[in-house]
Amino acid sequence: MKDLKFEQKRSLSRLEAADQLTALAAALRQGGDAELEVGLSKLSLRIPDDLRSEIEIEVGDGEIELEIEFKWPTAPTRTAPSQAVAGTKVAARRRKSAPAKPGRSSTGTNRSKSAKRSATKTP
């Protein structure tokens, strides 16, 4: 069962259809909570930054049917990692792939075993 379903069927002029699409486009561009006029009422929708779309065109029986569908989850979604975090990962990969300086190992394996043991012993 759906949480909510609204469906409206009516005849429109080309200009009225364009006005509806323009209002929908403005709501999509604005994002956040957007209000759309639907008949005599207003519908308030939370529109996220990312959504899925489907466009379907059917031609047959002397008619053309054009459906434009947008979908998004009702619950907030996770955001992508910030550029700073992504940049840190790239820098870390570069450090790993960079050639080691002469006389030094990039993994720290040149330390002697006795130095490692003395560093872990407690007095």
Side-chain angles (χ1 to χ4, degrees):
M1 183 169 164
K2 295 185 184 264
D3 293 332
L4 171 72
K5 181 174 181 173
F6 174 85
E7 188 171 328
Q8 182 183 59
K9 294 182 180 184
R10 64 187 180 116
S11 294
L12 300 173
S13 70
R14 190 180 73 239
L15 292 176
E16 288 171 323
D19 288 344
Q20 276 192 348
L21 290 173
T22 299
L24 178 59
L28 288 168
R29 186 173 307 282
Q30 176 188 351
D33 290 332
E35 287 190 357
L36 295 171
E37 288 189 33
V38 183
L40 300 175
S41 302
K42 287 188 178 185
L43 179 63
S44 181
L45 294 172
R46 180 197 55 82
I47 302 176
D49 291 336
D50 297 302
L51 39 93
R52 298 181 314 274
S53 72
E54 181 180 328
I55 297 177
E56 186 178 321
I57 300 172
E58 292 182 29
V59 179
D61 297 328
E63 286 187 329
I64 297 174
E65 182 177 331
L66 168 64
E67 290 184 24
I68 302 172
E69 182 175 283
F70 296 105
K71 291 183 182 183
W72 60 89
T74 54
T77 57
R78 290 184 354 194
T79 58
S82 69
Q83 290 294 335
V85 172
T88 302
K89 289 179 182 177
V90 170
R93 279 194 298 257
R94 285 185 185 147
R95 281 194 299 269
K96 285 181 183 177
S97 63
K101 293 181 182 176
R104 295 186 67 187
S105 167
S106 61
T107 59
T109 56
N110 279 353
R111 264 204 300 183
S112 70
K113 290 181 184 177
S114 61
K116 287 182 186 175
R117 272 189 242 123
S118 66
T120 58
K121 287 184 182 179
T122 54

